[in-house]
Amino acid sequence: MKEAYIIDAVRTPRAKRKGKFSSVHPVDLMTYPLKALAERNSLDPGQVEDVILGCVTQTGEQGWCVARSAVLAAGWPITVPATTINRLCGSGQQATNFAASTVLGGTYDLVVSGGLEHMTRCAMFSDIGGEESPMLNEQHPDLVQQGESAEILTETFKLSRAQLDEFAYTSQMRAKEAQDDNRFSKSLVPVSYTDEDGNTQTLDRDDNPRPSTTVEKLGELKTVFRDNGAITAGNASAIVDGAAALLLGSEEKCSELGVSPRARIVSTAVVGSEPRIMLTGPAPASELALKKAGLSVSDINLWEINEAFAPVTLVAIQELGLDPDKVNVNGGAIALGHPLGATGAILLGTALDELERRGDRYAAITMCIGLGMGIATIIERI
């Protein structure tokens, strides 16, 4: 039976919206991880059989198959094809799960996956226009935006504002510790940008974390979606720009290239979940991935659960019966940011780096997805 291996995983820093990457075209931003994969692995990119990238806001500068544009902009051979997919926030992870499937099925032996989201130059929701579907409204008349869904989730699972803010504070402190300890450096690819004075600068670390945050300061923030709600800018994911890529291959191709794979894709899963609450997908998706892998919660050493909003991760921890000390150990999107189409690919690399740092075996990566879905991937360190 074939296996799908992760040979390498790289990413750009995550930059604050309207910040350092404002001068960098989305396509150009994606070239940095693509080039890094080739350089780090002494890889002839002409051997890559396909590039599958996730991107949510596929309009403007991210339209017209941004994946193919990035392949060409990176100077890769014109023979390397590419496609762009959209499973909303799960796009980068879905791109990787699809890529793994092509290797497992024998279609490809070497494929690149990943994702991109430049939320400064292609604003969230800028791809949405026109009338809403009458049939969708008939079937699901109570659909709401994700912010309101996060409020409903908080109410449904009886979480308090204090719990959300405490979780957000933990995310910030864990991100601070990880940055101070250079835990992200293995996968980070520096990106050049032009500052306000026209000078060329380089960003080599995530610039969104707020290490001086306190629980008290978080508690003073105004709620965003309801006057009497619980969701604030401090306990929701930050809007940032970023890109990531992974190199996946078969055992035969790894041997041919003389590379040692870093991890094995053990199982993948995607599920539909209640579309009004919209954010409950990580638990059932993870349960399905565990079942496919023949594993239990106790077998997983590390969990990456995307912090779209604090209640998403808290509910997943509760529903799956997880040890919080195994979840998002280096912080999450509340501190580091959530570049929609790239986040899933980023989390896969983050989990792999941490497995290697600790010498652990299994990691599970899972995300909630708009319109009610969940996605999960289990990897095993080699």
Side-chain angles (χ1 to χ4, degrees), residues 73-316:
W76 283 19
I78 61 173
T79 53
V80 179
T83 190
T84 312
I85 69 163
N86 185 356
R87 199 188 285 278
L88 300 175
C89 293
S91 297
Q93 187 170 353
Q94 185 62 69
T96 303
N97 288 359
F98 278 157
S101 296
T102 68
V103 177
L104 289 167
T107 302
Y108 296 145
D109 283 303
L110 191 68
V111 59
V112 168
S113 68
L116 161 72
E117 207 74 41
H118 202 307
M119 302 183 74
T120 297
R121 296 176 66 135
C122 299
M124 185 166 51
F125 303 131
S126 60
D127 58 330
I128 298 175
E131 180 186 358
E132 289 189 359
S133 160
M135 295 181 71
L136 175 62
N137 287 334
E138 180 182 349
Q139 293 292 329
H140 298 280
D142 58 352
L143 290 180
V144 294
Q145 291 293 333
Q146 279 200 349
E148 176 61 18
S149 289
E151 292 285 6
I152 297 171
L153 185 68
T154 301
E155 283 184 339
T156 302
F157 287 87
K158 297 179 171 56
L159 298 171
S160 68
R161 164 75 184 271
Q163 285 176 288
L164 306 193
D165 288 346
E166 182 64 39
F167 180 84
Y169 172 75
T170 299
S171 181
Q172 293 284 357
M173 294 305 102
R174 288 180 174 179
K176 178 184 183 303
E177 182 179 350
Q179 286 195 316
D180 290 347
D181 200 27
N182 292 317
R183 295 180 195 170
F184 300 134
S185 60
K186 185 172 185 177
S187 296
L188 272 176
V189 179
V191 174
S192 297
Y193 66 94
T194 303
D195 66 19
E196 294 178 352
D197 297 322
N199 299 315
T200 300
Q201 306 284 355
T202 300
L203 182 65
D204 61 3
R205 60 190 276 124
D206 303 305
D207 71 357
N208 189 78
R210 298 177 181 271
S212 62
T213 296
T214 65
V215 174
E216 290 73 24
K217 289 179 180 178
L218 288 166
E220 294 169 358
L221 295 175
K222 293 182 179 180
T223 55
V224 178
F225 304 103
R226 291 183 183 178
D227 290 340
N228 62 341
I231 304 300
T232 71
N235 57 40
S237 56
I239 299 174
V240 297
D241 308 323
L246 296 91
L247 181 63
L248 279 68
S250 64
E251 182 176 1
E252 295 81 4
K253 194 64 177 182
C254 289
S255 178
E256 177 188 324
L257 295 174
V259 298
S260 298
R262 296 174 60 191
R264 177 177 71 94
I265 302 287
V266 179
S267 67
T268 68
V270 64
V271 300
S273 60
E274 206 289 316
R276 177 172 168 80
I277 299 181
M278 199 183 301
L279 307 172
T280 57
S286 298
E287 290 170 342
L288 181 56
L290 287 168
K291 181 179 179 181
K292 288 183 176 182
L295 298 172
S296 64
V297 164
S298 61
D299 293 313
I300 305 301
N301 305 106
L302 294 169
W303 289 81
E304 286 289 339
I305 305 174
N306 187 42
E307 297 171 0
F309 302 92
V312 173
T313 311
L314 287 170
V315 167

Side-chain angles (χ1 to χ4, degrees), residues 22 68 71 77 103 131 157 171 176 206 249 307 358 371 378 381-382:
S22 296
R68 174 62 173 170
V71 165
V103 177
E131 180 186 358
F157 287 87
S171 181
K176 178 184 183 303
D206 303 305
E307 297 171 0
R358 294 178 176 227
L371 292 175
I378 296 174
R381 179 181 67 87
I382 300 299

